[in-house]
Amino acid sequence: MARILDVAKHAGVSVASVSRVLAGLPGVSEVTRERVMVSVKALDYHPDLAARRLRSRKTDTLGLIVSDIRNPYFTEVSRAIEDVAYANGLRVLLCNTDEDPEKENFYLDMMRDENVAGVILSPTLALLSRYRAADYAFPVVLVDRCESNSDADAVVLDNVDAAQRLVQHLVDNGHRRIAFFYGAASATGRQRLQGYQNTLAAAGLTPISQALKPTTEEARVMIRQYLERHRQVPDAVVASSGLILLGLVEGLREANLRYPDDLALAGFDDMPWTRVVTPGITVMAQPTADIGRSAIELLLARIAQPAQAMRRIVLRGDLCIRGSSIKPAA
Amino acid sequence: MARILDVAKHAGVSVASVSRVLAGLPGVSEVTRERVMVSVKALDYHPDLAARRLRSRKTDTLGLIVSDIRNPYFTEVSRAIEDVAYANGLRVLLCNTDEDPEKENFYLDMMRDENVAGVILSPTLALLSRYRAADYAFPVVLVDRCESNSDADAVVLDNVDAAQRLVQHLVDNGHRRIAFFYGAASATGRQRLQGYQNTLAAAGLTPISQALKPTTEEARVMIRQYLERHRQVPDAVVASSGLILLGLVEGLREANLRYPDDLALAGFDDMPWTRVVTPGITVMAQPTADIGRSAIELLLARIAQPAQAMRRIVLRGDLCIRGSSIKPAA
DNA sequence: CTGTTAGCGCGTTCAC
DNA sequence: GTGAACGCGCTAACAG
């Protein structure tokens, strides 16, 4: 591999001049700039990033720490982040925590060791409860999860509002006994529970909520258990996430219950399959591309302006009404 | 930040001893090892990776270049790769190419600049046709796509066999006019087309194949166009990928055609929704976790043994028969 | 078993 | 406008 010294010799200038040209700094005559560029091409010179990073103490690398990249929500958010990173010549380090605080901690340590420019993180509940931006050597933008009072840069859905509108839609369609299956391990699940409770209280209805591990399999099992233990089937069931929603659909199917005939169904996240099942499923869609793009833009802004005040970007969900929530005329 | 010299001073030893202890090298007395460890804790010392990489000329970083992380296939493969990387203390750099050779080239260049230990790549067709492992400064393992004659480390499905078994299943169930919608932009799509053609030829049937851009939207549009242009609806339609399959389902639904009553349906990739629609959709499932795990293990083996012969790991698909492919009794 | 020291390749003063 | 020289923090070769 050609080094900067090789280029300098080839061009008949000093390494300092080469460095200046490469960095686009002023104070170099047009002639030498030209000669350097020619030599760079000729030798197929590529700066050594390790050396450059050691010297400059910067990395052009971002960390992306999500709980599970298989969750379509994070998949789409990641995609948007990667797009913007590409456009800015940044690298993205991908990490999965599995909602495991230990793994999360490991990766956060790794980010410090890597000396990343910044991190986009969907924190576990354990971390979020004691999260302080000042604890990290790098800027952090929280995604998907954030306490409403926390001092952090974050991009989140307006979860309370979104849940309220989704549940209100069910109330408006005449459903009274509305059950809520939510992921208890995240701030998001709890905020959506709050919205659900608000709406039910306002309507004078009794809440029926079921906390669970936010996985498809868990939701499938829990809905079946619920149906076995209670003689009266609810009018409607709402899932606090797309993964849980999928589990509910599987469980209801196994229990030979049909929607919307036997009970109505609704949930979060506009996953592709919610459109192709018959009838389609009513969901609160999250603007995942916007969330991802906003997150990395917020991070880049923070990197450029380390001192500016913390910002929370709250996005509005989009209610997609389909057949699953409309009570049959009968 | 504490440097290695600080630790050395604190422990009353030389930097060399500290370096040896940190690297776990032999030739250090138990006493000094102990003292060093204590000082490392006391100073909260973390080695500077940039310096270490500059000196050692290694990075402990892998590149993962896929065409689109939103495709559940790549999502699951990525997840498996990330898991193994975590277990081995490796970092993963994530990149999306969008099937764009220019982006692919950009990222491959980036990998060289990053001096990664190795790369896992799902190549564009443009690259695959001229791919030579020797062209890269780092080991590469191809995933999902590989010509059968190419000199490369690779992990792929046995596409020809998988397509044959899937199509044979349709033939066995009495379908005669079987259409095949496939992604023409990838080697994978073409290999599956080959399997489809083999089976139809063996059964004495006439192939009806439709090449398309391998996206859901494109598939939705193409199936509708096809149905408008041809008076006779096929007995069955097969998709060469999960994304295309989803588009077909959407298109058929818009055209008010029902499966399996009006025509049978089958495809690749066991996506979650293929189980929850009614009836379920018959698919050739790919062992995505195995594919990802095999890919990174193959890469690590190659890194450890740069000279060993190229290996292609060919995995077998798993035929999941569901209601969509069974001709109704009527 | 331990310490001294020479670079790894680059960016950046500071003289000229 | 240009170049010589130092040092970022670490590893490894060598001397003891």
Side-chain angles (χ1 to χ4, degrees):
Chain A
M1 290 294 290
R3 296 154 305 154
I4 198 169
L5 181 62
D6 301 321
V7 177
K9 282 179 181 166
H10 188 275
V13 298
S14 73
V15 292
S17 293
V18 178
S19 181
R20 288 189 190 102
V21 172
L22 263 41
L25 294 175
V28 184
S29 74
E30 198 48 47
V31 239
T32 54
R33 181 178 304 278
E34 200 63 37
R35 298 179 57 160
V36 167
M37 294 311 287
V38 169
S39 299
V40 165
K41 294 276 184 203
L43 300 179
D44 190 32
Y45 169 73
H46 291 266
D48 184 309
L49 293 182
R52 178 173 281 182
R53 286 168 183 164
L54 171 59
R55 186 64 176 87
S56 70
R57 317 293 339 166
K58 291 179 188 168
T59 58
D60 286 355
T61 302
L62 304 181
L64 175 58
I65 307 179
V66 299
S67 61
D68 188 356
I69 192 67
R70 282 177 307 192
N71 183 334
Y73 170 84
F74 287 120
T75 273
E76 297 190 10
V77 169
S78 301
R79 175 54 207 266
I81 290 171
E82 205 275 341
D83 260 10
V84 177
Y86 169 81
N88 289 73
L90 297 167
R91 293 107 230 269
V92 176
L93 240 27
L94 174 67
C95 312
N96 275 293
T97 65
D98 275 325
E99 305 287 6
D100 177 353
E102 207 160 326
K103 271 187 151 185
E104 179 176 53
N105 210 53
F106 172 88
Y107 280 127
L108 251 6
D109 280 352
M110 175 192 281
M111 292 306 155
R112 179 177 40 55
D113 289 353
E114 288 286 346
N115 191 29
V116 294
V119 167
I120 294 171
L121 165 72
S122 67
T124 62
L125 195 55
L127 175 59
L128 190 52
S129 62
R130 56 177 168 70
Y131 176 84
R132 291 186 56 246
D135 291 345
Y136 303 92
F138 41 80
V140 176
V141 169
L142 265 27
V143 176
D144 184 49
R145 303 146 185 203
C146 183
E147 301 292 0
S148 54
N149 60 352
S150 71
D151 179 43
D153 281 322
V155 179
V156 292
L157 192 75
D158 188 338
N159 287 308
V160 175
D161 168 78
Q164 285 175 178
R165 284 192 288 133
L166 181 60
V167 175
Q168 186 64 52
H169 161 73
L170 292 171
V171 171
D172 291 347
N173 276 271
H175 302 104
R176 313 295 295 169
R177 293 179 45 82
I178 303 173
F180 190 71
F181 280 59
Y182 71 102
S186 74
T188 300
R190 295 184 177 193
Q191 288 162 1
R192 292 175 188 172
L193 172 66
Q194 186 61 56
Y196 160 79
Q197 289 170 335
N198 292 352
T199 300
L200 256 58
L205 300 174
T206 311
I208 313 169
S209 58
Q210 173 67 62
L212 43 75
K213 202 155 60 94
T215 67
T216 296
E217 179 55 16
E218 190 77 1
R220 185 184 68 78
V221 172
M222 292 300 268
I223 183 74
R224 297 213 55 184
Q225 284 185 3
Y226 180 90
L227 292 169
E228 279 167 21
R229 287 212 267 263
H230 301 257
R231 289 215 57 83
Q232 192 178 5
V233 174
D235 293 345
V237 186
V238 181
S240 79
S241 81
L243 260 25
I244 292 173
L245 181 59
L246 179 58
L248 295 185
V249 172
E250 290 183 0
L252 290 176
R253 207 182 165 203
E254 290 172 7
N256 286 316
L257 285 176
R258 310 205 47 133
Y259 60 85
D261 308 78
D262 297 320
L263 79 178
L265 196 57
F268 276 76
D269 295 337
D270 186 25
M271 306 166 94
W273 62 267
T274 59
R275 255 189 312 272
V276 298
V277 292
T278 313
I281 297 180
T282 293
V283 293
M284 180 57 67
Q286 300 198 60
T288 49
D290 275 346
I291 292 172
R293 191 154 28 74
S294 302
I296 184 167
E297 284 172 357
L298 181 51
L299 182 58
L300 295 178
R302 165 68 55 200
I303 292 168
Q305 288 289 335
Q308 75 185 347
M310 292 292 176
R311 283 195 279 169
R312 282 180 66 231
I313 298 181
V314 179
L315 280 69
R316 182 178 161 85
D318 182 22
L319 182 60
C320 302
I321 298 173
R322 303 199 178 105
S324 73
S325 59
I326 310 300
K327 210 170 196 169
Chain B
M1 289 294 289
R3 297 152 306 153
I4 198 169
L5 181 62
D6 301 322
V7 177
K9 282 180 183 165
H10 187 276
V13 298
S14 73
V15 292
S17 293
V18 178
S19 182
R20 287 190 191 102
V21 171
L22 263 42
L25 294 176
V28 186
S29 74
E30 198 48 47
V31 237
T32 54
R33 182 177 302 279
E34 201 64 37
R35 299 180 57 160
V36 168
M37 293 312 287
V38 168
S39 299
V40 165
K41 294 275 183 204
L43 301 178
D44 189 34
Y45 169 73
H46 291 268
D48 184 308
L49 295 182
R52 179 174 279 183
R53 287 168 183 164
L54 171 59
R55 184 56 231 240
S56 69
R57 313 274 42 185
K58 292 179 188 170
T59 56
D60 287 353
T61 302
L62 303 181
L64 175 57
I65 308 179
V66 299
S67 60
D68 188 355
I69 192 68
R70 282 176 307 191
N71 183 334
Y73 169 84
F74 287 119
T75 273
E76 298 190 10
V77 169
S78 301
R79 175 53 206 266
I81 290 171
E82 206 273 341
D83 261 9
V84 178
Y86 169 81
N88 289 72
L90 298 167
R91 294 111 230 276
V92 176
L93 241 27
L94 174 68
C95 313
N96 275 294
T97 65
D98 274 326
E99 305 288 4
D100 177 355
E102 207 160 323
K103 270 187 151 183
E104 179 176 52
N105 210 54
F106 172 88
Y107 280 127
L108 252 5
D109 280 353
M110 174 191 281
M111 293 306 154
R112 178 178 41 55
D113 290 352
E114 288 286 346
N115 192 28
V116 294
V119 167
I120 295 170
L121 166 72
S122 67
T124 61
L125 194 56
L127 174 58
L128 191 51
S129 62
R130 56 176 168 71
Y131 176 84
R132 291 185 56 246
D135 291 346
Y136 303 92
F138 40 79
V140 176
V141 169
L142 265 27
V143 174
D144 183 50
R145 302 147 184 202
C146 182
E147 301 292 2
S148 53
N149 61 352
S150 72
D151 179 43
D153 282 321
V155 179
V156 291
L157 192 74
D158 188 337
N159 287 308
V160 176
D161 168 77
Q164 285 175 179
R165 285 192 288 135
L166 182 60
V167 175
Q168 186 64 50
H169 161 74
L170 292 171
V171 171
D172 291 346
N173 275 271
H175 302 103
R176 314 295 294 170
R177 294 177 47 81
I178 303 173
F180 191 72
F181 280 60
Y182 70 103
S186 74
T188 299
R190 295 181 177 195
Q191 288 162 0
R192 293 175 188 172
L193 172 67
Q194 186 62 55
Y196 159 79
Q197 289 170 335
N198 293 351
T199 299
L200 257 59
L205 300 174
T206 311
I208 314 168
S209 58
Q210 174 68 62
L212 41 73
K213 202 154 61 93
T215 67
T216 296
E217 178 55 16
E218 189 77 2
R220 185 184 67 78
V221 171
M222 292 300 267
I223 184 73
R224 297 212 56 181
Q225 283 185 4
Y226 180 89
L227 293 169
E228 279 167 19
R229 288 213 267 262
H230 300 256
R231 290 217 55 82
Q232 191 179 2
V233 173
D235 294 343
V237 185
V238 181
S240 78
S241 81
L243 260 25
I244 292 173
L245 180 59
L246 180 58
L248 294 185
V249 173
E250 290 182 0
L252 291 176
R253 205 181 167 204
E254 290 172 8
N256 286 314
L257 286 176
R258 310 205 45 134
Y259 60 86
D261 309 80
D262 297 319
L263 79 178
L265 196 56
F268 276 76
D269 297 336
D270 186 25
M271 306 166 95
W273 61 267
T274 59
R275 254 189 311 273
V276 297
V277 293
T278 312
I281 297 180
T282 293
V283 294
M284 179 59 65
Q286 298 199 60
T288 49
D290 275 345
I291 292 172
R293 192 154 29 74
S294 301
I296 184 167
E297 284 172 356
L298 181 52
L299 182 58
L300 295 178
R302 165 69 56 201
I303 291 168
Q305 288 289 336
Q308 76 185 348
M310 292 293 177
R311 284 195 278 168
R312 282 179 67 229
I313 298 181
V314 179
L315 280 65
R316 183 177 162 87
D318 183 22
L319 181 59
C320 302
I321 298 174
R322 303 198 179 106
S324 73
S325 60
I326 311 298
K327 210 170 197 168

